[in-house]
Amino acid sequence: MSLTVKSQAATAPFVVAFADGDMSMSDLMGGKGANLAEMTRIGLPVPHGFTITTAACRHYLTLGREPEDLDRQVGIHLAQLESMTGRQLGNPADPLLVSVRSGAKRSMPGMMETVLNVGLTDAVIPGLIARGGERFAWDCYRRLVQMYGRTVLGVDGELFEVALVAARREAGVVSDTELDAASLKKLTTDFRRTLVTAVGEDLPQDPREQIRRTIDAVFASWNVPRAMTYRKHQGIGDDAGTAVNIVEMVYGNTGPASGSGVCFTRDPSTGEPGVYGDYLPNAQGEDVVNGSRTPLPLQDLADHAPAVYQQLMGHLRTLETHYRDLCDVEFTVEDGTLWVLQTRVGKRSPAAAFTVASAMVSEGLIDLDEALRRVDGYQLESLLHPRFMSAEGELLLATGLAASPGAAVGEVVFDAQTAVSQAAEGRDVVLMRTETSADDVGGMLAAVAIVTARGGRTSHAAVVARGIGRTCVAGVDGLVIDLDARTAACPGGSIKEGDTISVDGTTGKIFRGALAVRQSQVAELLEKQADDGSDAEQAEQAEPVAGSLAAAVLQLLAHADHRRLIGVRANAETSPDALRARRLGAEGIGLCRTEHMLLGERAVLVEHMVLGDESDRAAALADIEELAHTDFLDILRAMDGLPVVVRLLDPPLHEFLPDLTELSVEVALNNAPGGTPDPQAALRLDGVRRWHEGNPMLGLRGVRLLTVVPELIEAQVRALATATLELRTAGMDPHPELMVPLVADPAELTAAAARMRGAIESACVADGTTLKIPIGVMIELPRAALTADRLALDADFFSFGTNDLTQTTWGMSRDDAEGAFLAEYRESGLLDVDPFMTLDDVGVGRLVRIAVEEGRRARPDLGLGVCGEHAGDPISIRRLVSIGVDYVSCSPPRVPIARLEGGRAVVLAESQSTP
């Protein structure tokens, strides 16, 4: 950890009274302290107190000791606290006790420490008995010993639990609340013996020593493992530190007229109106949140103490109106008097995030821009995919990387051909492979889910699955597939082909058997709205809860569309995918990968073109052109009136040719004694050896293949031109664009563009008309980005292929890196995020920025798009908007996410620039 401590003269204050703070001071006072100060300021019943600031914590974490002046400042504020409460620390007649609570700027519930009843000693027990009775006093004391022992002295909490169980057994009761005063007094003594036995130290009998050591323990809890793990998961920096709040104790455990509770101003699961919470009579706040007792519904407080309940409802309305958000509130009732102990903006489900934001717009609490700031693309993505109703109690077979979200149930198959044939019979299948390749795409399309033993979130399986909207779990730990036996072994047992499994692409878990699936009503209603023109109000009337959520999503997407400056297109090669993308709001196709049109049974055409003789090549090219013509007609028709960017053939050649090893074995067996020589197989082997490459991803592909086999350019471009002219004649409005892949030098683009223009012209001559198709270049090599000014002279647009640009910039294979070392890099802190999932702004992002600036300088009207995986990632989209691209193009299922984040990028940037 790297923490910087400036001179005390330059630091912020170390202690701030609640009366001197407000909600804007969360950097200094932490979220809890700032909110306690704010509630004090607006007149809510908050116990008196003060905050030791995050500046003091950072000093402690860096130097291992408190700031020199902290003890004096705390002493001053404790004296003020004594004056305000009329009680004194250590006063036997009427003692002041305090709670010492952690409170970081961002809420980290349960991750750091709290100690209650601090200041309680043997000497003040009589005063506490006078205040609330003997049972109350000893209950407070045993809680302090237990919490102080665990938090400050590091005693194993299980030792206290063992003593509690023994006390209940001895008293013949079930719960702690049934223990009488004598039992609690004995338990306190037992707890103190536990301290001495475990660490050789008893509870200090000086209240100020208790406070001082508890403060240090709360500071130190910033770096306990659970807190560090939580911060890493939530993206919270390690250098912020926590504040410590010293608060006058109020007691929910004085008897039946007292209690504690936690509530929300709206349902945090659905966002629907109505108070949602729990209450425990005769309990301190920790009892509600630590699960030691089963709480009662908040309505029980209304029945038990209606006046207190009505007062609480008023405070909740005040807080939600003041904070203009869903609030999470902790409270205590002491002998019929209500105290508010904490509030914060409540954590909520993705569904509640959209519902609450939309509702607060309708209620006039926030505007639509603020509503956009309160939701994000990750939340929306979780709402667009099916989920399992519950996996509790189900047999877990294995766990891998959550590569493509969703939930799917099907029968296991181990190869693409079986997947296709069984799916054709109407069966749901899960394609399980060691890893996938281009040959498996047909099976992936046929399957409801894909599972692989190898690979990561940016592997072939993951990228294709996300692109086609299939559930996928990749890199499954311990999964070993035996293709000969048609079985697989995994940590949870063996799997036979035909077994039914359930695949959760959101969590990465795989279960045996069929789990119940809950479809995404939001996704269904979004597409239905596009199909039949139904509006959000109709959706809400049709299905109250899901409808109101869909109405909220539709409302915020519409506002995002209104605010965003960036276009949103989709990556698609088939008319069904194109039509779905259009229904989800896509404004065109930003990437139509023509090699995907040649997979499956068509792959043999590429083989014939490369390995065959002149007649084979001519026939293959004719077939490729005819098939491309039909495919282009379908996709241009589906996107009538919208742009369609067609990328020329860009296959790593090995994906279309026979496997060298398998073919070598076949020929060797044919030529072995007893075999039958096959001259055709031997010729194929010679051809494959001739074209074989050690690193095909950086070999003969893209513009290089088109240069070596230029007839491919002419066939594909003629097919696109003739399809465009045919649709024009039919009265449609096609807008094709052509893109050249893997260009490293302007000369490559110039040569390819000349051939493309020639092919377009020849199609026009035959048709007796003219046609202008924009020609652009895919920027996926660092050299292309660094020579953008020269490339722009012969390009109508750039499209950044950030998948390959990331690979070539980082010098790592996306298919191999995650399974090999990226996880270790992230775990050790060498990388904060996977660069294949979120755009590396420092390296790859800088190359994109350079290309954008230099390309536009050379050609001001240059079109700029992005079509890699990053085009559907919320954080990456915001970065791309700031760079200044014109559009992003993502897989169809992620189109709504890109639309939302495009609008959010604008409103977030505006809020950050506002003083």
Side-chain angles (χ1 to χ4, degrees):
M1 177 183 298
S2 175
L3 295 167
T4 301
V5 177
K6 300 177 182 178
S7 67
Q8 289 191 14
T11 61
F14 290 134
V15 183
V16 178
F18 292 166
D20 297 329
D22 60 46
M23 63 190 295
S24 69
M25 298 173 66
S26 59
D27 279 338
L28 186 63
M29 298 181 71
K32 186 177 295 181
N35 287 328
L36 284 166
E38 185 71 12
M39 289 192 296
T40 299
R41 190 180 68 81
I42 65 175
L44 266 62
V46 177
H48 299 294
F50 58 88
T51 298
I52 302 170
T53 66
T54 55
C57 179
R58 288 192 291 272
H59 187 289
Y60 177 89
L61 293 172
T62 304
L63 301 180
R65 64 177 186 274
E66 295 177 352
E68 292 179 6
D69 196 42
L70 181 62
D71 193 52
R72 184 188 66 82
Q73 292 186 35
V74 169
I76 291 171
H77 282 79
L78 283 173
Q80 293 173 353
L81 189 57
E82 289 176 325
S83 175
M84 287 185 288
T85 62
R87 298 187 173 98
Q88 287 78 44
L89 289 166
N91 183 352
D94 193 10
L96 171 65
L97 304 186
V98 298
S99 64
V100 181
R101 298 173 179 266
S102 61
K105 177 181 179 180
R106 288 180 57 183
S107 175
M108 296 170 55
M111 295 301 110
M112 293 179 292
E113 300 296 352
T114 289
V115 181
L116 305 179
N117 309 315
V118 181
L120 210 170
T121 64
D122 295 345
V124 304
I125 280 289
L128 214 57
I129 291 173
R131 182 172 182 179
E134 192 172 3
R135 187 195 182 282
F136 158 71
W138 289 108
D139 187 38
C140 290
Y141 209 178
R142 69 94 181 172
R143 290 171 185 268
L144 171 62
V145 177
Q146 182 177 1
M147 299 176 83
Y148 187 93
R150 183 178 55 80
T151 299
V152 180
L153 301 181
V155 177
D156 184 355
E158 187 62 28
L159 297 176
F160 300 114
E161 188 58 37
V162 169
L164 262 173
V165 170
R168 290 195 296 265
R169 187 187 310 115
E170 183 177 334
V173 299
V174 175
S175 70
D176 300 346
T177 57
E178 298 174 276
L179 293 172
D180 60 19
S183 297
L184 290 168
K185 182 177 181 180
K186 180 179 182 300
L187 186 60
T188 303
T189 301
D190 292 341
F191 278 2
R192 291 176 68 176
R193 287 198 189 101
T194 297
L195 300 187
V196 175
T197 301
V199 297
E201 182 178 350
D202 195 2
L203 179 76
Q205 292 300 300
D206 177 356
R208 293 178 186 271
E209 181 184 352
Q210 288 183 15
I211 292 172
R212 183 171 57 254
R213 294 181 66 180
T214 304
I215 291 169
D216 289 351
V218 174
F219 282 159
S221 72
W222 176 257
N223 280 334
V224 297
R226 66 175 182 269
M228 296 178 72
T229 299
Y230 184 87
R231 289 199 299 274
K232 182 176 181 180
H233 182 266
Q234 295 291 318
I236 301 172
D238 285 332
D239 58 354
T242 181
V244 180
N245 300 288
I246 310 296
V247 188
E248 166 198 8
M249 278 297 302
V250 291
Y251 305 95
N253 59 331
T254 58
S258 301
S260 297
V262 176
C263 56
F264 294 82
T265 55
R266 303 184 190 221
D267 188 326
S269 295
T270 66
E272 294 301 303
V275 176
Y276 176 99
D278 297 320
Y279 177 73
L280 269 178
N282 197 20
Q284 290 195 329
E286 285 298 298
D287 298 327
V288 183
V289 297
N290 67 14
S292 62
R293 291 169 56 188
T294 302
L296 304 172
L298 194 61
Q299 184 61 40
D300 278 41
L301 177 61
D303 299 336
H304 181 69
V308 172
Y309 180 81
Q310 289 304 320
Q311 187 183 7
L312 176 63
M313 294 302 102
H315 294 333
L316 295 181
R317 285 191 294 273
T318 297
L319 285 170
E320 185 171 275
T321 302
H322 185 73
Y323 280 87
R324 302 181 304 131
D325 209 340
L326 182 155
C327 292
D328 173 355
V329 180
E330 295 182 19
F331 66 93
T332 281
V333 180
E334 180 181 349
D335 295 325
T337 299
L338 175 65
W339 297 93
V340 182
L341 304 184
Q342 176 178 336
T343 192
R344 58 193 171 202
V345 171
K347 294 188 180 297
R348 66 207 72 184
S349 71
F354 278 87
T355 302
V356 170
S358 177
M360 289 193 168
V361 170
S362 300
E363 294 164 17
L365 292 175
I366 61 175
D367 60 20
L368 279 166
D369 280 359
E370 178 61 26
L372 271 187
R373 294 185 192 101
R374 294 187 181 182
V375 297
D376 63 45
Y378 299 109
Q379 293 169 327
L380 179 57
E381 184 171 31
S382 73
L383 298 175
L384 296 175
H385 297 281
R387 289 179 174 272
F388 290 124
M389 300 288 284
S390 173
E392 186 174 352
E394 300 294 338
L395 178 59
L396 179 65
L397 286 171
T399 301
L401 297 167
S404 182
V409 177
E411 300 174 21
V412 173
V413 297
F414 293 113
D415 63 76
Q417 291 75 22
T418 304
V420 171
S421 62
Q422 294 195 4
E425 297 172 6
R427 295 155 71 176
D428 289 336
V429 297
V430 175
L431 178 62
M432 186 174 285
R433 301 283 285 161
T434 300
E435 58 191 347
T436 62
S437 69
D439 290 338
D440 294 311
V441 170
M444 297 171 78
L445 287 165
V448 296
I450 299 104
V451 174
T452 64
R454 299 177 189 159
R457 293 183 181 89
T458 52
S459 63
H460 176 273
V463 172
V464 173
R466 287 194 293 270
I468 62 177
R470 297 295 186 272
T471 297
C472 178
V473 175
V476 177
D477 188 32
L479 177 62
V480 179
I481 297 172
D482 186 337
L483 280 176
D484 293 331
R486 312 301 284 182
T487 62
C490 60
S494 62
I495 303 169
K496 301 188 301 297
E497 191 160 60
D499 285 353
T500 297
I501 63 172
S502 299
V503 182
D504 191 333
T506 304
T507 66
K509 294 181 177 180
I510 302 165
F511 300 90
R512 188 180 295 281
L515 275 62
V517 176
R518 180 178 65 240
Q519 297 299 324
S520 168
Q521 292 175 299
V522 173
E524 291 175 356
L525 287 169
L526 282 177
E527 294 198 46
K528 183 176 185 297
Q529 184 255 354
D531 283 339
D532 61 18
S534 60
D535 60 20
E537 184 177 349
Q538 290 173 313
E540 188 166 11
Q541 292 170 350
E543 184 67 45
V545 175
S548 60
L549 171 58
V553 172
L554 289 172
Q555 179 189 34
L556 296 186
L557 277 176
H559 186 63
D561 289 339
H562 172 70
R563 295 290 276 131
R564 64 183 164 89
L565 304 175
I566 195 170
V568 176
R569 302 185 188 181
N571 302 338
E573 293 77 44
T574 66
S575 58
D577 280 350
L579 289 169
R580 186 185 181 208
R582 189 165 190 161
R583 286 196 300 270
L584 291 172
E587 299 157 333
I589 299 298
L591 178 63
C592 173
R593 294 156 288 206
T594 55
E595 65 274 9
H596 284 198
M597 298 174 169
L598 292 171
L599 295 172
E601 295 177 353
R602 297 180 177 184
V604 69
L605 295 174
V606 179
E607 179 185 339
H608 290 166
M609 183 191 65
V610 174
L611 301 182
D613 57 23
E614 286 189 17
S615 62
D616 290 334
R617 175 179 291 193
L621 281 169
D623 288 342
I624 287 172
E625 185 170 344
E626 182 179 352
L627 291 168
H629 176 83
T630 302
D631 291 339
F632 291 146
L633 279 174
D634 289 342
I635 200 164
L636 289 170
R637 190 180 289 116
M639 301 306 289
D640 185 36
L642 297 176
V644 175
V645 177
V646 175
R647 183 178 72 184
L648 296 178
L649 199 65
D650 183 31
L653 205 54
H654 71 286
E655 293 184 359
F656 289 89
L657 298 182
D659 182 85
L660 177 60
T661 301
E662 292 178 2
L663 191 55
S664 298
V665 170
E666 178 187 340
V667 171
L669 291 174
N670 290 341
N671 294 336
T676 303
D678 183 348
Q680 286 300 116
L683 285 173
R684 290 177 75 211
L685 178 59
D686 288 343
V688 170
R689 283 175 173 161
R690 187 168 62 253
W691 290 92
H692 179 71
E693 297 175 299
N695 188 353
M697 294 301 293
L698 294 178
L700 188 62
R701 53 173 287 213
V703 71
R704 302 162 190 169
L705 177 62
L706 299 172
T707 301
V708 173
V709 189
E711 299 91 339
L712 269 175
I713 291 182
E714 294 165 352
Q716 288 192 304
V717 174
R718 271 197 310 270
L720 182 63
T722 55
T724 301
L725 294 171
E726 186 175 327
L727 291 175
R728 267 195 192 176
T729 302
M732 301 186 76
D733 185 25
H735 289 271
E737 300 178 21
L738 281 160
M739 182 161 65
V740 185
L742 211 73
V743 170
D745 189 85
E748 294 174 310
L749 175 62
T750 300
R755 282 192 171 273
M756 293 159 73
R757 293 186 181 106
I760 294 169
E761 186 177 341
S762 67
C764 290
V765 168
D767 197 64
T769 187
T770 60
L771 178 63
K772 168 73 166 119
I773 298 180
I775 295 174
V777 60
M778 196 166 188
I779 306 293
E780 48 194 329
L781 297 173
R783 192 178 193 279
L786 295 171
T787 57
D789 55 339
R790 296 173 60 205
L791 286 171
L793 299 177
D794 213 356
D796 296 307
F797 65 91
F798 289 168
S799 183
F800 295 91
T802 54
N803 297 342
D804 276 351
L805 187 57
T806 299
Q807 289 193 109
T808 53
T809 300
W810 280 84
M812 64 173 73
S813 162
R814 72 179 182 187
D815 290 339
D816 300 327
E818 188 155 330
F821 60 86
L822 273 186
E824 286 79 2
Y825 266 46
R826 292 193 63 189
E827 189 67 30
S828 64
L830 292 175
L831 282 176
D832 291 330
V833 296
D834 183 338
F836 293 107
M837 299 293 289
T838 299
L839 184 71
D840 156 35
D841 203 34
V842 175
V844 179
R846 186 180 180 198
L847 286 173
V848 175
R849 193 173 285 105
I850 289 169
V852 166
E853 292 172 355
E854 296 193 358
R856 277 271 167 85
R857 191 178 301 124
R859 182 168 184 165
D861 64 343
L862 183 72
L864 297 165
V866 177
C867 59
E869 276 288 291
H870 303 98
D873 172 65
I875 294 175
S876 303
I877 291 169
R878 297 198 288 273
R879 290 175 177 173
L880 292 167
V881 169
S882 71
I883 289 172
V885 300
D886 297 323
Y887 68 86
V888 293
S889 185
C890 56
S891 60
R894 302 186 92 177
V895 165
I897 298 161
R899 291 168 57 198
L900 183 78
E901 287 295 345
R904 290 188 74 242
V906 174
V907 298
L908 288 171
E910 288 177 353
S911 65
Q912 290 165 3
S913 64
T914 301

